[in-house]
Amino acid sequence: MENKYHHQTLMNCDKTTATKISDPYGAVISPIYQNSLFTFENWEAIETAFNDKINNAIYTRGKNPTVALVEEKIATLAHGEKAKLLASGMAAVSAGMLHFLSANDHIITLNNIYGPSISLINDFLIPKMNIEVSYVSGTDIDEIAAKIKPNTKLIYLESPSSVVFSLQDLAKISALAKQHDIATAIDNTWATPLFQKPLNLGIDLEIHSCSKYLGGHSDIVSGILIGSEKLINAIHVREYELLGAKMAPMEAWFLLRSLRTLDLRMERHQKSALKIAQFLERHPKVAKVNYPGLTSFPQYKLAKQQMSGFSGLMSFQLKTTDLTQIKTFFNGLNLFQIGVSWGGHESLIYAPAISGLKEQNPEQFKKMAISLNDMRISIGLENVEDLIADLTESLALI
Ligand SMILES: Cc1ncc(COP(=O)(O)O)c(C=O)c1O
């Protein structure tokens, strides 16, 4: 989407968007259209609206002006033509996969995509639609090329991936996919549309959980799909409207508020995360740190090539494999709260094996290469020295 303004201006001045919300009182903040339907003067007016039902506000499950304003801002930020907000990140992931896949098709994806995205394939698409799947590491283009079959319809990526944060070469994979007429989609939640622009690298569909950095305050759950106008319109009339996981206007308005500070928050997350990753890397009780912003990260060169910044989520492996010791460290933290999500203002710790062991079958869990001593931390906006002191004290307990 063409826009002459810098993203900081776009996020903070609603006059820069084509979608305008007029308010008779001149409210400085775009108001919330908290209504389910829109009324019309007469037969002709409502009939005209139906001539372009995607772009006219008729019913909030179709189009709502508050939601549309936020969609336009995020689409512009991602260099996409159009975006569609949905009720959750998983609503976006499932709408995206269902759009490209029909019964008996084949999908290529990674061993380390977000756990419920794996479950969507293994526990829903395979038993209900007889979908075939090939799981790959994602770091080797030849491995992906070797998996392509006549019925391959989608290469589904997540870069950096969940827990281990390994990268895929987006430009190379999208070029390969185009040669074979295969669609590409990426879960770009980790990097945000600020730090990574997959559509510029040829990826067809960009997916985010807005429950993380885009929301940023741990108070909303939502997701977004971004791509060409043609693709997003096609998803709009099928997987979006018919499956019905629409975005609530109030949630969209919270997201609008969050976008004002996305740039500022990401700067702080990035700065603090790098400091903490470097601290952990040097710590004698830590075996390994997975953070693409570290110069020691095996794919650092690729990370610098395809991302313009790094967010605040990382994992590290404790040297100890003793569960009592692991729990002592985990429970000993004070500022880092224990919880599953990430990308908010608060720092969090989680051990992905807790749910991974329960949600995945043993074979799939083994492929994910996650152990009980792998700790995932989300670095919030607190003072970084306080966070380092918290980690230092808890590591001293083991
Ligand atoms: C990488 C990734 N993608 C998608 C999701 C799903 O998003 P939501 O929780 O908004 O449904 C998550 C949630 O943790 C995630 O971490």
Side-chain angles (χ1 to χ4, degrees):
M1 187 178 287
E2 291 288 321
N3 198 302
K4 65 179 181 177
Y5 296 105
H6 189 272
H7 65 254
Q8 291 161 349
T9 310
L10 262 162
M11 295 306 129
N12 284 290
C13 178
D14 297 354
K15 284 158 80 181
T16 58
T17 47
T19 305
K20 301 263 184 283
I21 302 190
S22 60
D23 170 65
Y25 300 100
V28 66
I29 294 166
S30 293
I32 312 171
Y33 274 82
Q34 187 60 47
N35 50 299
S36 60
L37 78 150
F38 298 82
T39 56
F40 293 82
E41 282 292 304
N42 49 37
W43 175 292
E44 289 76 13
I46 196 165
E47 192 179 21
T48 304
F50 269 104
N51 288 337
D52 185 12
K53 84 171 185 160
I54 287 180
N55 293 311
N56 283 309
I58 300 171
Y59 186 56
T60 284
R61 179 159 48 76
K63 174 174 174 165
N64 173 285
T66 308
V67 177
L69 174 64
V70 183
E71 288 169 345
E72 190 188 328
K73 278 185 191 269
I74 299 177
T76 311
L77 185 62
H79 295 178
E81 288 175 0
K82 209 164 180 187
K84 200 73 217 120
L85 278 164
L86 292 99
S88 68
M90 277 314 294
V93 170
S94 56
M97 284 194 193
L98 285 168
H99 180 75
F100 290 116
L101 298 172
S102 300
N104 307 316
D105 283 344
H106 174 236
I107 179 175
I108 300 174
T109 191
L110 319 168
N111 294 320
N112 280 89
I113 54 170
Y114 174 57
S117 302
I118 293 179
S119 304
L120 174 66
I121 297 169
N122 289 353
D123 304 337
F124 187 96
L125 297 176
I126 291 176
K128 285 196 174 273
M129 290 167 59
N130 199 31
I131 294 298
E132 285 180 69
V133 60
S134 297
Y135 288 103
V136 295
S137 69
T139 54
D140 176 2
I141 186 93
D142 295 334
E143 189 191 5
I144 296 175
K147 297 289 182 194
I148 293 175
K149 307 201 237 184
N151 61 338
T152 307
K153 291 291 160 54
L154 177 63
I155 300 180
Y156 181 89
L157 307 171
E158 193 182 303
S159 182
S161 67
S162 285
V163 189
V164 296
F165 306 105
S166 65
L167 311 187
Q168 301 100 59
D169 189 322
L170 303 185
K172 280 194 185 148
I173 294 173
S174 68
L176 172 74
K178 278 186 176 56
Q179 277 169 22
H180 295 269
D181 205 17
I182 298 169
T184 45
I186 182 172
D187 183 331
N188 196 32
T189 307
W190 188 92
T192 81
L194 197 62
F195 287 160
Q196 182 164 256
K197 305 220 188 290
L199 301 175
N200 285 356
L201 301 174
I203 300 290
D204 296 310
L205 183 66
E206 177 173 343
I207 303 173
H208 292 269
S209 164
C210 307
S211 324
K212 318 300 178 204
Y213 293 112
L214 289 170
H217 296 69
S218 302
D219 52 9
I220 59 164
V221 172
S222 82
I224 196 162
L225 297 172
I226 316 160
S228 69
E229 183 169 9
K230 187 170 170 232
L231 173 61
I232 299 301
N233 283 350
I235 293 175
H236 183 129
V237 295
R238 277 198 350 209
E239 292 76 20
Y240 170 75
E241 272 202 70
L242 301 182
L243 300 180
K246 71 113 183 88
M247 176 72 166
M250 178 66 100
E251 310 271 281
W253 187 86
F254 275 127
L255 195 48
L256 179 63
R257 176 228 38 200
S258 298
L259 291 175
R260 316 285 192 205
T261 57
L262 178 68
D263 181 273
L264 292 168
R265 287 185 285 108
M266 294 317 295
E267 233 173 79
R268 169 77 73 83
H269 285 300
Q270 164 164 243
K271 216 168 147 198
S272 298
L274 181 61
K275 243 182 158 170
I276 288 176
Q278 287 167 340
F279 157 80
L280 288 169
E281 198 177 32
R282 286 191 301 265
H283 200 284
K285 291 186 182 160
V286 172
K288 187 182 174 202
V289 181
N290 299 308
Y291 183 63
L294 281 174
T295 52
S296 60
F297 186 73
Q299 295 171 295
Y300 181 70
K301 199 170 151 232
L302 178 62
K304 290 292 277 184
Q305 189 184 307
Q306 63 186 21
M307 290 190 279
S308 59
F310 305 105
S311 68
L313 188 73
M314 70 185 80
S315 66
F316 62 96
Q317 194 169 63
L318 293 170
K319 275 193 183 152
T320 181
T321 51
D322 177 85
L323 190 56
T324 310
Q325 294 258 56
I326 295 166
K327 285 185 182 174
T328 300
F329 163 72
F330 190 84
N331 295 337
L333 288 162
N334 187 34
L335 296 179
F336 283 85
Q337 300 177 73
I338 298 167
V340 287
S341 193
W342 49 278
H345 56 84
E346 75 289 7
S347 291
L348 295 165
I349 184 156
Y350 183 57
I354 296 173
S355 50
L357 273 166
K358 296 183 201 301
E359 288 170 1
Q360 305 300 333
N361 64 50
E363 192 199 342
Q364 192 75 48
F365 184 73
K366 203 169 157 210
K367 281 191 200 159
M368 292 166 97
I370 303 169
S371 314
L372 280 167
N373 54 344
D374 282 319
M375 304 285 113
R376 191 190 71 179
I377 51 173
S378 176
I379 307 304
L381 302 175
E382 304 92 337
N383 178 277
V384 67
E385 299 306 331
D386 287 343
L387 294 174
I388 290 174
D390 198 28
L391 289 165
T392 306
E393 283 163 27
S394 215
L395 283 165
L397 301 175
I398 61 173

